Amino acid sequence: MSTTTIDRLRDTELSYRATLAGGALSVFLLIALLGLAFPSSIWGNLLAILTSRSTLSSALRLSVPITFAALGGIFSEKAGVVNIGLEGLLIISAFTAVITTAVVGPEMTVLGLPAIWIGFFAGVLSSVLFSALFAVVCIRFKADQIIAGLAVWLIALGLAPFAATVYYGGVNTDNLGTTLGTWTIPVLSDIPFFGALFDADPAVYMMLVAVPTSWYVLNRTAFGRHVRASGENPKALDTVGVDVSRVRYAGVLLSGFLAGIGGSALSLGLGQFVGNNQTMVNGKGFIAIVAFLFGNYNPVGAFGASFLFAGLEAAQIRLQQVPGYGVPDSLIQTIPYVTVLVVLALVGRTRIPAASGEHYDTGDDNR
């Protein structure tokens, strides 16, 4: 592909994203104008919801599992392994975190570490182990990555509710009676609206650190260059003496680690694992795939897309509580998902790493 063609595609991608960003900003400005002009109307209520500190707080909390899964997906695909099993990693880590905390005893401490944090790390470890199995199947045995990813999801989707039924007698676990809680930074937490950034779940702070750290690792470190080369041109990486398989294993394991943080934070933030239907994860792993595709494999862009979806989710929850408009709750609940469809329609030209999904043997050509 010529440099001119690549530049043209890049310009087109930027144009799509600029159009969507401009459209979103225009919608918000329209709502703001109508809300200020007619404060007692639905527009006024909607403006109040969108500018509410509680909405920002909810959006940040809801962003956590999506963002961490998206970051994990970026590392895996950048390394050349398509991981659509992110949903399964979120499920298994969410369940393991709760069951481990329950077994240890929610009020217990081990070596000075509260049980809930032991559960948190256990959830992360379970996700890493699942991703390790996925990596071996895909890299060592060259299985179809899409099918293997679906298998991870389906195994987790069946295993977690089954294990909950064995232990609790139902697909939902008992409430632990404790959560990760909140970390409050004095003074800063009193800032109107933005104070929500400084009075949040610990996982929110982890997310705000993980996003720029992931960007830095991918773009400013030797490991990040190896990851990108593994997904773009593994033969060139092999030629300079770097083991492509090791880099790909590292990318997949890192995806499990990050997704594990998201899943553990999701269930321990609530203090319970819910296994009904698609479990409490409810498609967040698949939304994460949309997020990093829309973000064009950029951690910052993936976070922006995750926060957009989470913000709409938080807004629709509060919109359901506004009486007197006769809008069915079922219709309001579709708002975030309709947005995802719009995003999917506009990310068709996202540039996927050239060798993503392709198997590679050290010393051989791509195949």
Side-chain angles (χ1 to χ4, degrees):
M1 186 181 293
S2 68
T3 302
T4 302
T5 302
I6 292 175
D7 289 340
R8 187 181 301 115
L9 288 174
R10 185 180 297 113
D11 290 342
T12 303
E13 292 166 11
L14 292 174
S15 176
Y16 274 118
R17 286 162 176 76
T19 299
L20 184 59
L25 180 60
S26 298
V27 170
F28 178 78
L29 290 176
L30 178 61
I31 292 173
L33 289 173
L34 291 173
L36 291 172
F38 307 101
S40 298
S41 68
I42 189 173
W43 303 110
N45 287 324
L46 188 56
L47 179 61
I49 289 172
L50 293 177
T51 56
S52 166
R53 172 173 168 152
S54 62
T55 300
L56 175 59
S57 180
S58 295
L60 288 169
R61 187 178 65 255
L62 292 170
S63 295
V64 168
I66 302 174
T67 298
F68 274 110
L71 294 177
I74 290 173
F75 276 99
S76 184
E77 288 212 24
K78 279 284 191 180
V81 180
V82 177
N83 187 358
I84 65 169
L86 297 171
E87 179 87 355
L89 298 180
L90 289 175
I91 292 172
I92 202 66
S93 56
F95 172 74
T96 303
V98 171
I99 193 71
T100 301
T101 304
V103 170
V104 172
E107 304 302 324
M108 298 292 291
T109 60
V110 178
L111 299 177
L113 191 65
I116 197 163
W117 284 104
I118 294 175
F120 183 91
F121 294 127
V124 174
L125 178 60
S126 69
S127 179
V128 171
L129 292 175
F130 257 64
S131 65
L133 177 62
F134 169 75
V136 170
V137 169
C138 292
I139 300 171
R140 173 67 179 85
F141 296 103
K142 298 179 175 59
D144 185 286
Q145 294 171 11
I146 302 298
I147 294 176
L150 287 173
V152 168
W153 168 47
L154 292 172
I155 290 171
L157 184 62
L159 180 60
F162 172 75
T165 301
V166 170
Y167 192 83
Y168 289 99
V171 294
N172 300 335
T173 68
D174 294 340
N175 197 297
L176 295 172
T178 184
T179 66
L180 291 174
T182 58
W183 290 354
T184 302
I185 300 176
V187 181
L188 293 178
S189 61
D190 296 328
I191 299 173
F193 185 68
F194 292 106
L197 291 167
F198 308 102
D199 184 21
D201 186 302
V204 171
Y205 295 108
M206 295 181 195
M207 175 182 68
L208 296 177
V209 171
V211 171
T213 300
S214 296
W215 181 91
Y216 181 83
V217 168
L218 279 171
N219 295 283
R220 294 292 186 270
T221 67
F223 173 71
R225 290 192 292 272
H226 293 165
V227 167
R228 288 184 282 120
S230 178
E232 291 289 348
N233 192 344
K235 184 168 179 60
L237 188 63
D238 189 15
T239 301
V240 298
V242 178
D243 191 320
V244 174
S245 292
R246 285 188 179 183
V247 174
R248 290 189 168 184
Y249 274 117
V252 176
L253 290 175
L254 193 50
S255 76
F257 174 77
L258 290 166
I261 295 175
S264 296
L266 176 64
S267 60
L268 293 180
L270 179 65
Q272 181 184 22
F273 174 80
V274 179
N276 290 328
N277 301 319
Q278 298 300 306
T279 77
M280 66 191 305
V281 175
N282 196 29
K284 290 178 175 61
F286 297 113
I287 298 299
I289 295 174
V290 177
F292 72 70
L293 286 175
F294 179 68
N296 202 22
Y297 296 91
N298 184 316
V300 177
F303 168 69
S306 301
F307 184 75
L308 171 64
F309 178 82
L312 289 169
E313 179 78 6
Q316 67 90 5
I317 291 172
R318 281 157 178 74
L319 192 59
Q320 293 178 55
Q321 300 169 356
V322 177
Y325 295 106
V327 180
D329 290 349
S330 57
L331 179 61
I332 295 175
Q333 291 170 2
T334 65
I335 293 174
Y337 300 96
V338 170
T339 303
V340 168
L341 291 177
V342 173
V343 169
L344 279 172
L346 294 177
V347 298
R349 294 188 180 275
T350 293
R351 185 175 176 276
I352 298 172
S356 182
E358 296 182 5
H359 300 301
Y360 182 82
D361 278 330
T362 298
D364 294 341
D365 291 333
N366 286 358
R367 46 178 81 177

